[in-house]
Amino acid sequence: MLGRWAERQPDKKAIHMARTSISYGELTQRISQLLQLLQKYHCSQGDYILLFMPNCIDYVVSLLAAIKIGAHVIPVHAMCRAKELQQLTRTMSPKLCLVADASLYSVLHSVDDALRIIDLSRCDLEKEMFLTNAFSQADYSSSAKLFLSTSGSTGKLKFVANTFENEAVNALLYIKRLGVTSSDVIYTALPMSQKFGLATLLGSLFAGCTLIASAQFSATETLAQISKHGVTVQYGVPTIYIKEKEAYLNAVEKPDISTLRTGIIAGASSA
């Protein structure tokens, strides 16, 4: 589906995060470049690849590239504690770890200095790779598996294993129920390393719309993003909506959120 949207609307903004945007055409190009890097490190179908990143464009590129080669992907949010990381790496023994910056590299290296880690902020993928259009090559996503964390509401990180196909079906069901089309603008501050956050990302890309994402939640910032980008659909959990309502009611100057037409909520009831 991503390839189809890249052909139809290559210049349309696919994702906006932290003042950085990427179009559908640029996204498929970046994925193609990273696919070649993964091939350089002999990563292939069935290999375990760990992603240690916050919500960022590098995370999206890494996730989709790893899925495309049919890897077993372990997305871990940047806020994960060292003790949990150590247990995770010892249990899963990833062939390759991808991080978004030098600070995350240092954290992961301190946990296990035997890990093979690539800091994407130090890789000039455009210069070193992209000799061919790897995105159009064989797709093994049907065999990809994801080890996704839950919210950690009990104080301990928990993971659930699922196929990419099942996660994709869930994402498609959400956008169908919400009536999402390519003209919509979706917002989330959910970690995309977790199940519901992943469904937000995949659903947005499947629908061909624009995703506005934040690295962490702030009620006032969320309202500002909805107003600025004309957000029409929001994905969240009860606490997010409760705090947004409080921030809106307490605001001296009310932000314009009139474009917001619907949303979806996951987690325990707010009642």
Side-chain angles (χ1 to χ4, degrees):
M1 287 188 182
L2 180 58
R4 182 185 67 183
W5 288 119
E7 291 179 1
R8 289 184 181 181
Q9 48 186 29
D11 298 325
K12 180 176 179 178
K13 185 190 298 181
I15 303 168
H16 179 85
M17 296 186 194
R19 302 178 183 177
T20 303
S21 298
I22 190 168
S23 69
Y24 276 89
E26 291 167 339
L27 181 57
T28 55
Q29 181 176 343
R30 287 276 301 277
I31 293 170
S32 183
Q33 292 165 349
L34 186 55
L35 282 169
Q36 292 178 75
L37 181 63
L38 294 178
Q39 291 168 4
K40 180 180 177 181
Y41 282 88
H42 307 291
C43 292
S44 59
Q45 188 176 2
D47 285 333
Y48 286 79
I49 299 177
L50 186 144
L51 314 179
F52 184 39
M53 306 184 196
N55 283 0
C56 62
I57 289 174
D58 275 341
Y59 170 76
V60 177
V61 172
S62 300
L63 176 73
L64 297 178
I67 287 172
K68 190 170 176 64
I69 66 171
H72 295 174
V73 192
I74 314 160
V76 182
H77 194 267
M79 297 299 290
C80 184
R81 293 170 291 190
K83 184 177 180 180
E84 294 169 333
L85 275 173
Q86 186 177 56
Q87 181 180 4
L88 185 61
T89 55
R90 287 178 177 176
T91 302
M92 308 299 286
S93 300
K95 182 173 185 176
L96 190 67
C97 304
L98 303 178
V99 299
D101 57 47
S103 63
L104 296 175
Y105 180 98
S106 297
V107 171
L108 203 52
H109 187 266
S110 68
V111 166
D112 186 346
D113 59 10
L115 292 171
R116 175 176 281 183
I117 310 169
I118 297 177
D119 176 3
L120 294 180
S121 69
R122 302 184 64 180
C123 293
D124 189 349
L125 295 179
E126 186 172 359
K127 180 179 179 181
E128 297 179 8
M129 317 303 291
F130 206 46
L131 303 176
T132 60
N133 183 13
F135 188 82
S136 62
Q137 294 177 7
D139 188 333
Y140 299 99
S141 59
S142 60
S143 63
K145 290 183 180 179
L146 297 162
F147 294 82
L148 300 167
S149 62
T150 65
S151 63
S153 56
T154 61
K156 293 182 179 180
L157 199 63
K158 305 180 293 295
F159 282 83
V160 59
N162 202 359
T163 64
F164 167 68
E165 287 189 331
N166 281 342
E167 295 297 335
V169 168
N170 286 338
L172 287 167
L173 289 173
Y174 291 149
I175 61 173
K176 182 179 180 180
R177 179 66 181 85
L178 293 169
V180 173
T181 69
S182 60
S183 62
D184 278 305
V185 179
I186 296 177
Y187 176 81
T188 191
L190 298 167
M192 289 185 288
S193 55
Q194 297 177 359
K195 281 183 65 64
F196 196 46
L198 175 65
T200 311
L201 170 64
L202 295 179
S204 178
L205 295 177
F206 290 161
C209 52
T210 297
L211 175 65
I212 312 298
S214 297
Q216 57 186 17
F217 173 70
S218 161
T220 54
E221 177 62 19
T222 294
L223 294 172
Q225 293 292 321
I226 291 171
S227 178
K228 178 180 179 180
H229 296 283
V231 171
T232 57
V233 181
Q234 182 177 359
Y235 282 59
V237 293
T239 302
I240 283 177
Y241 291 115
I242 291 169
K243 290 187 177 297
E244 274 181 48
K245 180 179 178 181
E246 291 174 350
Y248 182 83
L249 293 175
N250 293 331
V252 176
E253 185 176 344
K254 305 297 183 188
D256 181 6
I257 57 172
S258 59
T259 58
L260 190 61
R261 65 174 180 82
T262 191
I264 185 169
I265 188 169
S269 171
S270 59

